[in-house]
Amino acid sequence: VGLESEVAKLVASGDPLVQIQPDQPYAELWMGAHPRGDALIRDNRIPQKTLGQWIADNPACLGAKVKDAFQGQLPFLFKVLSVNTALSVQAHPNKELAAKLHAQFPEHYPDANHKPEMAIALTPFEGMCGFRPVEEIVSFLQTVPELRALIGEVAAEQLERSGSDDPRGVSAALRVCFTRLMKSEKKFFVDQLNMLVKRISQEAAEGKDTSGSNGDLLLRLHSQYPGDIGCFTIYFLNLVRLEPGEAMFLGANEPHAYLHGDCVEIMACSDNTVRAGLTPKFIDVLTLCEMLNYTPAPSSSKIFPAAQSQLDPHVYLYDPPVPDFTIMRIEIPASIKLYLISAMDSASILLVIQGTAVGTSTAAASEMSLQRGSVIFISANESISLHLSSPGMLLFRACCLL
């Protein structure tokens, strides 16, 4: 809310004319050409008003490979998110399912594209991602009777008996347990949730350790979404904590929920989300339970590593296993006063997180003054020279490396 939001801070410093309202939430900054949030062009000498219009009139700016592979569209959407209350328990469909959902329910699934995504923390960031190792889930089934009541004895025992030497059996048992939870009768799960919250609150008040029931997170989510089935997903999904610069990658069908913190996020150019809890929005429990990837893995495996570039030691590359996007973190040290944002054969979007500079480019009509919150679209095969006026800079650059 207000200037507590990283989104609001970036927007305010990037555009001094914007008035930030202290009581308004500022949750998402979109940088891209998605029809639901096509970026506005700030330079009034350019006849096109939005990035999408400009790309449509100048498709070569995408780079030949990107233009051909993605039918003349910018393949990624770049965002900054500021999360204070948890975002919904959700997953994103693969291409085949996205096309089907869009054809059947266009009002809920606005396009036919998949939506793999990656979040990189700007501040300490918390999210849930992927299914926990089975032994952790089984431990919760044994210490949280309210959870066991919702899942039922038969399904709980099936998961307890499933051995690590049979991954398909484990996935099948996990699917049954999670589906039983998510399809619980509303009155029954609200009663069980209230019992659980009451029990944990009492234990916490008596100074007892509630970590065996994931007590702190349960009480926090219940205070944000009272009576919501999503509160129980904390017993199935990994809790992942990211320090600034650390990332998590979310492929198709990976269950997740962002809980708290600020991040930059990059995704395929889509707005398709299948939700099932921690939300007042449309939920689609059947689709979610059908589509999920029920492969358990430890939370440490969810942190996606950055690789330092061989060509430039100031660039760290986050290159996920999908063609649609790559993101670079560029850390320019205080000792450098002139830095070249090098040309590549893909269009890219540059976001300034810290620092100030004057940018010059053969493609730009005049020099650009860059500060925190500035967003620049760079056509394929164009470079920008930065003349730094601050000690060092931190930038993120979204692109498509085919």
Side-chain angles (χ1 to χ4, degrees), residues 26-187:
Y26 292 86
E28 301 197 23
L29 173 65
W30 286 29
M31 299 162 282
H34 191 281
R36 283 194 166 184
D38 197 359
L40 298 172
I41 296 172
R42 296 277 302 280
D43 187 338
N44 55 19
R45 294 169 295 188
I46 290 173
Q48 295 87 351
K49 293 290 167 255
T50 70
L51 181 59
Q53 292 166 358
W54 195 84
I55 291 172
D57 291 347
N58 301 276
C61 73
L62 295 170
K65 279 198 260 184
V66 174
K67 177 173 152 259
D68 291 348
F70 294 98
Q71 292 80 49
Q73 305 290 319
L74 186 69
F76 56 83
L77 177 57
F78 192 23
K79 296 183 182 181
V80 179
L81 300 188
S82 289
V83 182
N84 193 32
T85 51
L87 303 189
S88 53
V89 177
Q90 56 181 248
H92 304 296
N94 60 22
K95 280 198 166 157
E96 190 184 355
L97 179 60
K100 197 169 110 185
L101 291 172
H102 177 60
Q104 289 174 323
F105 312 108
E107 68 281 17
H108 298 306
Y109 301 105
D111 53 72
N113 202 7
H114 68 165
K115 193 191 175 189
E117 61 190 17
M118 177 179 277
I120 304 171
L122 292 173
T123 59
F125 192 82
E126 262 187 334
M128 295 192 292
C129 173
F131 284 98
R132 293 172 175 271
V134 168
E135 53 274 21
E136 291 181 21
I137 300 171
V138 164
S139 164
F140 286 130
L141 282 171
Q142 289 162 358
T143 54
V144 184
E146 299 85 353
L147 174 67
R148 197 176 184 98
L150 287 178
I151 282 162
E153 208 47 45
V154 175
E157 284 176 8
Q158 188 189 349
L159 189 66
E160 286 164 343
R161 285 197 306 268
S162 65
S164 52
D165 52 345
D166 176 18
R168 288 177 69 168
V170 167
S171 292
L174 191 50
R175 172 190 287 264
V176 170
C177 285
F178 190 73
T179 305
R180 292 276 314 221
L181 170 72
M182 298 310 287
K183 288 187 178 170
S184 307
E185 225 19 78
K186 171 116 188 171
K187 182 178 179 332

Side-chain angles (χ1 to χ4, degrees), residues 196-269:
L196 175 59
V197 167
K198 188 176 171 188
R199 179 170 69 79
I200 301 254
S201 302
Q202 279 171 344
E203 288 175 9
E206 291 161 13
K208 290 183 182 165
D209 174 18
T210 61
S211 59
S213 308
N214 213 343
D216 290 350
L217 183 56
L218 178 84
L219 294 180
R220 182 168 38 138
L221 291 184
H222 186 260
S223 72
Q224 295 173 11
Y225 297 97
D228 190 301
I229 190 69
C231 295
F232 280 105
T233 60
I234 64 174
Y235 300 117
F236 281 91
L237 304 181
N238 282 302
L239 180 60
V240 180
R241 290 190 169 94
L242 302 178
E243 289 305 315
E246 289 187 319
M248 58 179 165
F249 171 68
L250 303 159
N253 307 329
E254 186 86 40
H256 62 280
Y258 295 157
L259 300 178
H260 192 268
D262 304 281
C263 68
V264 293
E265 192 183 38
I266 184 165
M267 62 203 64
C269 191

Side-chain angles (χ1 to χ4, degrees), residues 360-372:
T360 54
S361 167
T362 51
S366 56
E367 51 186 37
M368 298 161 278
S369 114
L370 301 186
Q371 68 265 357
R372 181 165 153 68

Side-chain angles (χ1 to χ4, degrees), residues 265-321:
E265 192 183 38
I266 184 165
M267 62 203 64
C269 191
S270 166
D271 202 21
N272 283 328
T273 300
V274 183
R275 296 181 183 84
L278 301 182
T279 180
K281 294 181 180 172
F282 172 75
I283 64 172
D284 192 345
V285 172
L286 278 174
T287 302
L288 188 90
C289 291
E290 254 327 279
M291 71 189 269
L292 289 183
N293 168 16
Y294 288 96
T295 308
S299 60
S300 56
S301 69
K302 299 299 172 189
I303 297 179
F304 190 92
Q308 195 169 16
S309 162
Q310 313 253 286
L311 303 171
D312 180 344
H314 308 308
V315 173
Y316 297 84
L317 225 64
Y318 304 82
D319 192 13

